[in-house]
Amino acid sequence: MNTYDINQLREDFPILDREVYGKPLVYLDNAATTQKPLCVLDAMCDEYLNVNANVHRGVHYLSQQATDLHEAARETVRAFINAEKIEEIVFTRGTTEAINLVASSFCESQMQPGDEVIVTEMEHHSNIVSWQLQAMKRGIVVKHLPITDDGQLCLDQLEPMISEKTKIISVAHVSNVLGTVNPVDEIVKIAHVHGIPVLVDGAQSAPHFKIDVQAMDCDFFAFSGHKMYGPTGIGVLYGKEEWLEKLPPYQGGGEMIDKVTWERTTFERLPFKFEAGTPDYVATHGLAKAIEYIDSIGFEAIQQHEQALTRYCMEQLQTIPDIHIYGPIERDAVVSFNVGSIHHLDMGTLLDRLGIAVRTGHHCAQPLMDRLGISGTVRASFALYNTKEEIDTLVAGIRRVAQMF
């Protein structure tokens, strides 16, 4: 696509034409999940209609064809994040499962009671609870790097936190609440000086800007299909080959075995060692199509568009009396706010009656809410198909709700 034609792009997403309570839908809940373009839906429908068969194990034509599509999707993902090898791409159900996989397998094989993982104060629950479960099972310690009042990491406190017991650092690339883009390259460098691997939660970064895991040099990177115009229930764990070789399987059965006897089991080569059972091979094909769709537009154009929207939204929101916007000025495509003493749930419910879909609550980041001293926020989050007119509708809607109170 040579020019960013927003009207043409929106035609790829028929759901954007629907009405809610008699009002045109304004969908600003993209950090939770994005809408899917027709090319993704058509590809998945076509596979179910014409290619559907279980992958890898079949010698018949349909199984071979489905396997080819599934493994082609793996290569599409590898290229998308610039992983060195296809063996480093593990399909999961999403970012949450990918983080749980690492937490479980890493703690089992690499950590002793009293060993430490460092996360940050702005993490999604997925990157807190996964480690807390291991703390309960194995006696590891979860430490968190604090943030500043404007939602930036206190990076100067990272090195002093690291001890000989620190075994892994796990950090969000982008905050799903504040839109803060964390300096993961710097965190990885600091960690690697101490021989510590880093897991990056890329759920909120992979949809918005180019990821290069080799340049970043992270040891693990996780992201979800449904937040980047792909289907739900599919995600990716990238892991450096050396680490994936060291870690034990997360689940057992089906595709991940090499040979099973009553005495012992040997496991498949990478990445299949971590892919127990029938994969969602239709969703992997859908994810590949979503990636191709993003590539056809180009991240430079997408980022330019979303950044312009975010800046415009911040400017317009600041004209509303008594509004409080959380997080730094420079941010990714997320704006969280409250207006006066209006409860975030009330604001979200009334905006919904105006056809405006935003998210309200703690956004699966309760420790961050505690740090900010609030119970929740209203969150508007943007995608490649959102428009300035939709932001105008949001701002007018907030004014209207504020006047009611």
Side-chain angles (χ1 to χ4, degrees), residues 130-146:
S130 308
W131 300 104
Q132 286 179 336
L133 288 171
Q134 296 305 316
M136 286 187 269
K137 280 183 197 169
R138 305 182 195 279
I140 69 160
V141 177
V142 183
K143 294 166 78 174
H144 63 271
L145 184 65

Side-chain angles (χ1 to χ4, degrees), residues 328-388:
I329 294 166
E330 291 298 316
R331 62 175 65 211
D332 200 40
V334 173
V335 181
S336 285
F337 62 91
N338 281 312
V339 180
S341 59
I342 303 170
H343 196 277
H344 49 88
L345 187 61
D346 293 334
M347 176 65 78
T349 303
L350 291 167
L351 288 175
D352 176 51
R353 301 300 297 193
L354 300 173
I356 304 163
V358 292
R359 183 124 315 219
T360 60
H362 53 65
H363 315 298
C364 297
Q366 283 178 299
L368 174 58
M369 295 298 140
D370 291 342
R371 167 65 177 85
L372 299 172
I374 53 178
S375 64
T377 72
V378 183
R379 183 185 73 186
S381 50
F382 313 117
L384 59 83
Y385 42 65
N386 289 123
T387 66
K388 279 190 170 182

Side-chain angles (χ1 to χ4, degrees), residues 73-149:
R74 201 185 301 275
E75 168 55 27
T76 300
V77 171
R78 185 210 63 75
F80 180 66
I81 61 171
N82 193 34
E84 187 183 355
K85 298 177 178 178
I86 202 163
E87 289 83 5
E88 297 176 323
I89 304 301
V90 177
F91 285 123
T92 66
R93 287 181 302 140
T95 307
T96 298
E97 186 178 55
I99 295 171
N100 273 274
L101 188 163
V102 175
S104 176
S105 294
F106 190 92
C107 290
E108 182 184 332
S109 61
Q110 308 294 318
M111 297 182 80
Q112 304 295 324
D115 283 347
E116 299 165 353
V117 56
I118 296 175
V119 298
T120 81
E121 207 166 21
M122 65 173 74
E123 296 306 317
H124 188 280
H125 290 166
S126 296
N127 202 24
I128 299 173
V129 180
S130 308
W131 300 104
Q132 286 179 336
L133 288 171
Q134 296 305 316
M136 286 187 269
K137 280 183 197 169
R138 305 182 195 279
I140 69 160
V141 177
V142 183
K143 294 166 78 174
H144 63 271
L145 184 65
I147 62 168
T148 61
D149 289 341

